[in-house]
Amino acid sequence: MPTSDEQITQLFKQFMQAWTDNDAAAFGACFTADADYVSYDGTHATGRPALQDNHDRLFRGVLAGSALVGDLEAIRHITAEVAVVHGTASVLMPWRSELPKRRLSRQTLVVVRTEQGWRISAIHNGRVRPVTIPAPDAFPSRMSQAMSRIGRRLGMGRPSPGAPRTISSATSA
């Protein structure tokens, strides 16, 4: 019998193949019924029907003929029934033979063991765009520190500790 890691690796391959086949039903079958899907642009779909419908429209529209290519990077088991998976992949459009570096994305998946096998319960897809963290004494850091001091003196910026904080809701699809 295959190990959990082999089964999860197979799920990741099925996920990419379903995309490459532009098969929204097969793509949706990789997910749990209540899955969460956050795309590279921050769009959030909740539930297999929503993410499957989104991908059906994409596969018949702007991503028609595209392939998903990439690699599984790591599997970390949280329990015997839950694992966190990291992969790097990108959409290869049909008119391209090589991936543009700017399109590379990293996927973080939460996979769960179900009666039907391993399925994706949550996925977050973000572009790979590393930035260099400036040293605390570098010009960008000093400017940010100065702006923070000025803002506090003028009573601007984040609320004082203990004050209620709100975040505007993000757009969902």
Side-chain angles (χ1 to χ4, degrees), residues 40-171:
Y40 76 93
D41 67 351
T43 304
H44 181 202
T46 302
R48 183 187 303 130
L51 70 90
Q52 189 170 320
D53 179 62
N54 288 350
H55 284 82
D56 178 57
R57 287 183 286 131
L58 289 168
F59 295 155
R60 290 184 299 114
V62 296
L63 295 178
S66 67
L68 186 62
V69 296
D71 295 303
L72 182 84
E73 294 176 339
I75 299 169
R76 182 171 60 93
H77 290 272
I78 306 300
T79 70
E81 311 298 319
V82 178
V84 173
V85 176
H86 288 111
T88 304
S90 186
V91 174
L92 181 63
M93 297 307 289
W95 59 84
R96 293 191 180 273
S97 56
E98 292 184 20
L99 292 171
K101 191 172 184 175
R102 74 184 193 290
R103 294 194 56 117
L104 186 62
S105 294
R106 178 155 292 116
Q107 296 77 37
T108 301
L109 301 87
V110 176
V111 297
V112 297
R113 189 189 314 261
T114 70
E115 290 179 5
Q116 296 77 37
W118 287 92
R119 296 290 181 267
I120 302 166
S121 180
I123 183 170
H124 186 258
N125 182 13
R127 290 281 194 238
V128 176
R129 299 245 168 74
V131 296
T132 302
I133 300 172
D137 62 344
F139 179 74
S141 298
R142 291 193 324 268
M143 284 301 297
S144 178
Q145 294 159 7
M147 294 300 291
S148 294
R149 285 190 299 274
I150 292 167
R152 280 193 300 272
R153 286 183 190 139
L154 296 174
M156 299 168 55
R158 69 176 184 209
S160 60
R165 300 177 90 185
T166 60
I167 298 174
S168 61
S169 62
T171 304

